[in-house]
Amino acid sequence: MLRKPHLVLLIAVALVVLVLLALPEQTRSRVRMAIASLFLPLFGLASTAQNAVDRAAASAVPRGTLVARIRELEEQNRRFQLEAVEARAAARETDRLRAMAGYAPRSPWKLKPARVIGRDPANWWRGVHVDLGAREGMMTNLPVLTPEGLVGKVAEVGPWTSRVVLVGDPNCPVAAALADSGSTGIVRGVSGGDIEGAIVDLSFLPRSAVVRPGMRVVTSGQGGVFPSGIQVGEVIDSRAVGEGVYLDARVRLSVNLGALDHVWIKVP
Amino acid sequence: MNWVHPTAILLTVLLLAFGQAALPGFREITSVQPDFLPAVMVYVALHAGLPMTTAAALLGGLAFDALSAGPLGLSVVPLIAVGVFLHLRRDLLLRDSAWAQALLGAGAALVTSMGSLILLLGLWPLLSGAAETSGPWPERLGSLTTPPIVGPGLLWQWLVTAAAGAVGTPMVFGFFRWVDTTFQYQPVPKSGYRTDRDREIARGRR
């Protein structure tokens, strides 16, 4: 049986929990990020250890392999430089056409690199922690991406770290479109759940939309958070839902969200 | 018990919560992140008092929730429930058998995971945040506006969680046994010598 002091202790803890659960969302978020920032030295220690392991592994790579890798990267760099020249010419042409049509010129993206320092320990949510916080100008709802495509958005910001909610989490819906046809829908977590987190649903596509496996899915830019044209993934298959009122397509994400180590955050 | 034992318990709880966020090794293999905090709760409930059990659950739950997207404080409830339940029945439970430890660990991990989900879904209308702005598209929702998606994958999650609890609990017991033998003075064995006074039979009048 519980003694009286023990009962008092349990009631006190229950009260603490109730107060925490009843906090307004913003206050709760601040308290959470404050507690999470206590782990910052440990995250730093873990990344230092990881860097040391990486350096040790790199020092064991034979010189011949490194030279071959450098040549491969130089070749890739030359190809990217040519593509950049082509892209700059296309951007100039687009700006000229936009000006002729009376549209405001597109402003270039400002991206900040961030390192993934941790993942959400709960299995219900999909999120990662990155090493940029309010001190580096982070704020909520900033898009997060990699060269392969969309990763998610900044959900909570602490002084030194931020929490990013990943595409496929129920709290990170994305306004998306089929790149070929322009039919729009909403990307969200796959119905029934996907253990690996590599597949999401593109819901609310119009019934008349042409959806074929392999079609590219990109952000539509209509949601106010993600700019248009960021690669989300490729269609696997589709089915009619809501008694045939609209279509749902399963989409395989372009980014391997389970192996993220570096991401880019688009800042205003 | 001196200060080493409680300090070791609280440090372990903090490090486990951190490790589950920072070391994704298990997740890469099984696609599921097992929770080892229930394993520590089994040990604490059987080897420490109720205040320590409560402190470990509070610290572990808050640390876990601080690194997660879930509502802050929710994980404390199932951890404390498991801890108090085991603590109240500690005289009936085997604590030195590895099999008993594994069974208790699997059960505790399963109950904690199920309890968290039931609380999360049951209290969702009270816990969820409001939308920051209204609009035709829901991209600008608050950070916690939609409940988690529950599907058949949950069975695999619980299987892995129970297995991790079963494997982790004997390891936790072994770790704390090592901490005790390494950092604490061991009790001096009782001498077989008895003084004459011990042998005297106290007789008295009725």
Side-chain angles (χ1 to χ4, degrees), chain B residues 99-184:
Chain B
W99 279 109
Q101 291 165 5
L103 272 179
L104 287 173
L110 214 51
V111 166
T112 308
S113 180
M114 286 176 171
S116 295
L117 188 63
I118 289 167
L119 277 176
L120 191 59
L121 296 177
L123 298 177
W124 188 256
L126 304 172
L127 298 173
S128 60
E132 282 175 13
T133 56
S134 57
W137 295 98
E139 275 182 5
R140 276 190 183 275
L141 292 175
S143 64
L144 204 64
T145 48
T146 315
I149 298 168
V150 177
L154 202 60
L155 291 176
W156 173 246
Q157 279 184 20
W158 282 340
L159 192 71
V160 173
T161 301
V167 174
T169 307
M171 289 168 73
V172 166
F173 274 70
F175 169 72
F176 282 112
R177 203 176 307 123
W178 173 79
V179 168
D180 280 349
T181 51
T182 310
F183 295 105
Q184 298 206 84

Side-chain angles (χ1 to χ4, degrees), chain A residues 73-85:
Chain A
L73 289 173
E74 280 174 350
E75 178 62 31
Q76 203 177 43
N77 190 24
R78 275 194 288 274
R79 208 166 52 242
F80 283 152
Q81 279 177 352
L82 281 175
E83 281 178 15
V85 168

Side-chain angles (χ1 to χ4, degrees), chain A residues 229-251:
Chain A
I230 303 175
Q231 172 94 2
V232 176
E234 283 186 356
V235 171
I236 301 172
D237 54 23
S238 65
R239 65 190 184 284
V241 288
E243 307 207 349
V245 176
Y246 57 90
L247 296 176
D248 264 12
R250 286 196 312 151
V251 175

Side-chain angles (χ1 to χ4, degrees), chain A residues 12-260:
Chain A
V13 171
L15 280 176
V16 169
V17 170
L18 278 177
V19 167
L20 284 172
L21 290 176
L23 286 175
E25 194 185 355
Q26 280 193 340
T27 316
R28 196 194 297 167
S29 173
R30 279 196 202 123
V31 174
R32 181 209 307 280
M33 294 312 285
I35 299 175
S37 64
L38 298 177
F39 288 100
L40 206 61
L42 288 176
F43 278 122
L45 205 66
S47 88
T48 309
Q50 182 63 43
N51 286 344
V53 170
D54 289 348
R55 270 201 303 276
S59 65
V61 178
R63 188 181 152 77
T65 312
L66 289 175
V67 170
R69 182 80 183 127
I70 287 169
R71 284 199 186 127
E72 189 185 320
L73 289 173
E74 280 174 350
E75 178 62 31
Q76 203 177 43
N77 190 24
R78 275 194 288 274
R79 208 166 52 242
F80 283 152
Q81 279 177 352
L82 281 175
E83 281 178 15
V85 168
E86 196 181 343
R88 273 198 294 272
R92 272 197 300 273
E93 189 180 344
T94 309
D95 283 347
R96 206 168 51 243
L97 290 171
R98 286 178 78 95
M100 284 165 69
Y103 291 149
R106 282 176 81 122
S107 51
W109 288 0
K110 287 182 201 159
L111 297 169
K112 277 195 175 179
R115 202 166 46 79
V116 175
I117 53 173
R119 299 187 69 87
D120 194 319
N123 289 307
W124 334 116
W125 312 109
R126 290 175 191 171
V128 294
H129 296 266
V130 294
D131 65 345
L132 295 184
R135 289 172 164 224
E136 288 85 14
M138 289 299 106
M139 53 181 91
T140 55
N141 284 326
L142 293 180
V144 182
L145 49 149
T146 66
E148 288 79 35
L150 188 67
V151 169
K153 65 174 185 178
V154 176
E156 286 178 315
V157 179
W160 297 282
T161 61
S162 303
R163 189 173 65 77
V164 172
V165 57
L166 302 178
V167 185
D169 185 282
N171 291 298
C172 184
V174 180
L178 295 168
D180 297 345
S181 63
S183 302
T184 55
I186 299 179
V187 165
R188 46 187 199 166
V190 71
S191 51
D194 169 44
I195 294 174
E196 291 177 8
I199 297 170
V200 293
D201 272 350
L202 173 59
S203 303
F204 306 118
L205 285 168
R207 188 175 50 179
S208 57
V210 178
V211 188
R212 283 188 302 271
M215 282 178 113
R216 268 187 344 116
V217 176
V218 295
T219 51
S220 69
Q222 293 177 350
V225 171
F226 303 106
S228 62
I230 303 175
Q231 172 94 2
V232 176
E234 283 186 356
V235 171
I236 301 172
D237 54 23
S238 65
R239 65 190 184 284
V241 288
E243 307 207 349
V245 176
Y246 57 90
L247 296 176
D248 264 12
R250 286 196 312 151
V251 175
R252 182 172 295 283
L253 294 173
S254 304
V255 181
N256 180 3
L257 298 177
L260 287 173

